[in-house]
Amino acid sequence: MKYIDEYRDERIARALVADLARRVTRPWLLMEICGGQTHTLMRYGIDELIPPQITLVHGPGCPVCVTPLEAIDKAIQIASRPEVIFVSYGDMLRVPGSRSDLVQARAAGGDVRVVYSPLEALKIARAHPERQVVFFGIGFETTAPANAMAVLHAQRQGLRNFSMLVSHVLVPPAIRLLLSSPQNRVQGFIAPGHVCTVMGYREYEALSREFHVPIVVGGFEPVDLLEAISLLVAQLEEGRAETENQYARSVTREGNLQAQAIMERVFEVCDRKWRGIGLIPRSGLRLRPEFAAHDAEKVFQLEELTAEEPAECLSAQVLQGLKKPTDCPAFGRRCTPAMPLGAPMVSAEGACAAYYLYRRQAVAP
Amino acid sequence: MCLAVPGKVLEVEERDGSRVARVEFGGITRLVQLDLVPEARVGDYVITHVGFAISRLDAEEADRTLRILKAMGLLESEERGAP
């Protein structure tokens, strides 16, 4: 496919690796934020191809992984109601809540359906005017405009039986939290290319300045990631700390202004709890009060719940780049994609799932 | 979750008050909403996420970057004596 195959070219990749080997003189620790990038790195063995001085740790950029237990418990409460059709992106179904998951809610009689786009949830709502259709609105800035559009379409079409359970999260506040931690070891970040396609990268320039940290907006193919790593190492070796844009074919400094305007119209910034990390101020989006009729939290009377993660799961440290998935004693033994203890083992983008898929042999049985 | 792929716009039409496109992704055609990228035209490549185009791919920028990278790749192959 055009604009994909070229960025998987082995000759270019080898040239970038050779260039990196010439450039690097010291150990550097880098983090890719986005779980999609984690998967490319593992799938193509980029972590093993690059010079050994460069260590990659994996960030919290997996929406399924950071959606708080309480949101999943709320989803299960709603999905268990007889009048509800609960609609979600597929990855969320097997994420453990505090007591069960959405698959179990479905097995117990809940009408839980998987879609690929929020517009399919609108279609279901139109087809079933006698039922309440609730869409699980999760994701980062990449997904927020599409979910916001679905709410606007519902409003325009007068769909009174459509609502959204919103648990959106924002990337820059999470990077700020990681950089503010005394435990932080990360010296450079690959910023998520599709989040920046929507938002641009001015927020990241501010982080580079404030924390004197290099950030490179990166794409998702192997050549993109190798080039992003190369740009980061060049900055670190030269003592620079700027935000650069490797993924210029999709990302501009200002981002997609139309998408930002739609997000702004439908959502407002709020504090949000991240699974495994805790409360991060101003790191989430919720529906504005004028969309209360489409806000599942307002439409349904929900019990307020607080829940704790199983103590055995290391996902908190994995999501903050403090540990690798293979450092966890449960990895590949008591925790597998079929029987996950924590969310990063469930999602196709979770770091634990990526290691399980591509690096299982690295762990002695 | 933030997976988004480039595809070529084959046709643009008006549907239920919003612009939608038929977009080809490696031989498969899907309907894509253009609400977020109203400037997309037939022949453009758009990057699509959960049924919505989120950007119009900058072909000039992509070609420029690829030329630089390819030149680097060729140079490296020659140095290593590879074909």
Side-chain angles (χ1 to χ4, degrees):
Chain A
M1 276 164 74
K2 192 163 160 66
Y3 299 119
I4 291 185
D5 297 338
E6 307 92 301
Y7 295 90
R8 294 179 183 168
D9 186 310
E10 191 189 329
R11 274 183 313 181
I12 300 178
R14 289 201 180 281
L16 283 165
V17 171
D19 180 59
L20 203 51
R22 278 190 293 268
R23 239 181 247 266
V24 68
T25 66
R26 275 172 287 173
W28 299 111
L29 191 127
L30 312 177
M31 173 185 273
E32 83 284 354
I33 294 293
C34 173
Q37 293 172 330
T38 306
H39 261 253
T40 304
L41 293 170
M42 293 292 126
R43 180 172 172 201
Y44 291 92
I46 290 171
D47 56 327
E48 293 174 342
L49 206 61
I50 55 178
Q53 295 99 316
I54 304 166
T55 304
L56 298 171
V57 292
H58 319 298
C62 160
V64 170
C65 303
V66 301
T67 299
L69 276 173
E70 289 86 348
I72 294 162
D73 288 348
K74 279 180 191 169
I76 293 167
Q77 271 189 59
I78 296 171
S80 305
R81 289 169 172 253
E83 77 276 21
V84 166
I85 301 175
F86 193 84
V87 186
S88 170
Y89 298 122
D91 269 9
M92 284 312 289
L93 261 59
R94 293 185 45 257
V95 177
S98 59
R99 280 166 299 197
S100 68
D101 58 35
L102 283 164
V103 171
Q104 289 177 43
R106 178 157 70 182
D111 190 345
V112 179
R113 304 186 190 182
V114 169
V115 294
Y116 144 84
S117 164
L119 292 179
E120 292 169 52
L122 292 182
K123 237 182 248 171
I124 296 171
R126 280 196 297 270
H128 297 277
E130 76 292 355
R131 308 276 298 275
Q132 283 291 327
V133 174
V134 183
F135 180 70
F136 204 174
I138 63 148
F140 283 100
E141 293 93 323
T142 313
T143 317
N147 288 351
M149 270 317 301
V151 173
L152 286 178
H153 279 297
Q155 195 186 45
R156 272 180 214 151
Q157 295 166 17
L159 276 177
R160 293 190 180 175
N161 64 329
F162 175 85
S163 62
M164 200 176 280
L165 178 63
V166 177
S167 190
H168 268 291
V169 281
L170 303 170
V171 171
I175 298 184
R176 170 174 299 278
L177 184 95
L178 294 176
L179 284 168
S180 306
S181 161
Q183 292 171 291
N184 175 52
R185 306 181 295 153
V186 180
Q187 294 163 296
F189 288 91
I190 302 176
H194 290 140
V195 165
C196 293
T197 293
V198 170
M199 299 304 291
Y201 51 87
R202 294 170 67 146
E203 296 167 288
Y204 299 82
E205 291 175 337
L207 289 167
S208 279
R209 276 194 300 274
E210 185 180 338
F211 293 94
H212 197 74
V213 65
I215 301 176
V216 173
V217 181
F220 296 81
E221 299 301 330
V223 164
D224 289 321
L225 287 163
L226 281 168
E227 195 185 13
I229 293 168
S230 184
L231 290 168
L232 280 175
V233 168
Q235 285 203 47
L236 288 163
E237 291 282 345
E238 294 162 23
R240 287 183 292 125
E242 299 157 16
T243 292
E244 292 180 281
N245 181 15
Q246 180 277 327
Y247 197 37
R249 63 187 183 279
S250 180
V251 175
T252 60
R253 183 165 183 258
E254 305 300 326
N256 182 334
L257 296 173
Q258 176 84 10
Q260 291 168 32
I262 286 163
M263 270 168 82
E264 173 72 24
R265 189 164 150 210
V266 175
F267 294 124
E268 62 187 12
V269 173
C270 62
D271 296 345
R272 173 81 67 214
K273 191 171 168 186
W274 292 48
R275 188 171 192 161
I277 296 177
L279 187 94
I280 307 180
R282 302 185 57 75
S283 70
L285 295 175
R286 66 179 173 211
L287 284 167
R288 289 189 179 277
E290 63 210 83
F291 296 98
H294 298 292
D295 188 342
E297 304 239 20
K298 308 269 163 49
V299 172
F300 299 94
Q301 299 295 317
L302 300 172
E303 288 172 50
E304 268 310 317
L305 298 161
T306 49
E308 296 301 326
E309 210 62 50
E312 197 180 7
C313 180
L314 281 191
S315 61
Q317 285 144 293
V318 171
L319 288 168
Q320 296 175 69
L322 300 171
K323 293 260 199 248
K324 294 251 192 182
T326 44
D327 295 334
C328 178
F331 175 86
R333 298 188 178 89
R334 285 179 307 286
C335 182
T336 65
M339 289 287 284
L341 282 178
M345 189 56 99
V346 178
S347 168
E349 296 181 320
C352 298
Y355 274 72
Y356 189 84
L357 205 56
Y358 305 115
R359 293 287 183 283
R360 217 178 329 166
Q361 72 285 4
V363 187
Chain B
M1 181 80 216
C2 288
L3 181 74
V5 281
K8 189 176 185 178
V9 177
L10 302 178
E11 245 172 46
V12 178
E13 58 185 278
E14 224 28 68
R15 202 180 272 211
D16 302 327
S18 55
R19 288 180 79 229
V20 291
R22 283 205 315 119
V23 178
E24 192 212 325
F25 302 94
I28 301 158
T29 308
R30 298 196 80 142
L31 276 181
V32 169
Q33 294 286 129
L34 296 182
D35 309 71
L36 309 174
V37 188
E39 71 277 18
R41 298 284 172 266
V42 171
D44 285 346
Y45 277 76
V46 288
I47 294 188
T48 300
H49 172 70
V50 299
F52 287 81
I54 56 169
S55 73
R56 196 176 133 249
L57 199 134
D58 185 337
E60 268 175 43
E61 184 57 51
D63 292 343
R64 196 187 63 84
T65 312
L66 269 179
R67 269 203 309 279
I68 298 169
L69 289 171
K70 273 187 185 145
M72 217 176 139
L74 284 174
L75 198 68
E76 189 68 30
S77 309
E78 279 161 19
E79 280 173 10
R80 294 190 318 145

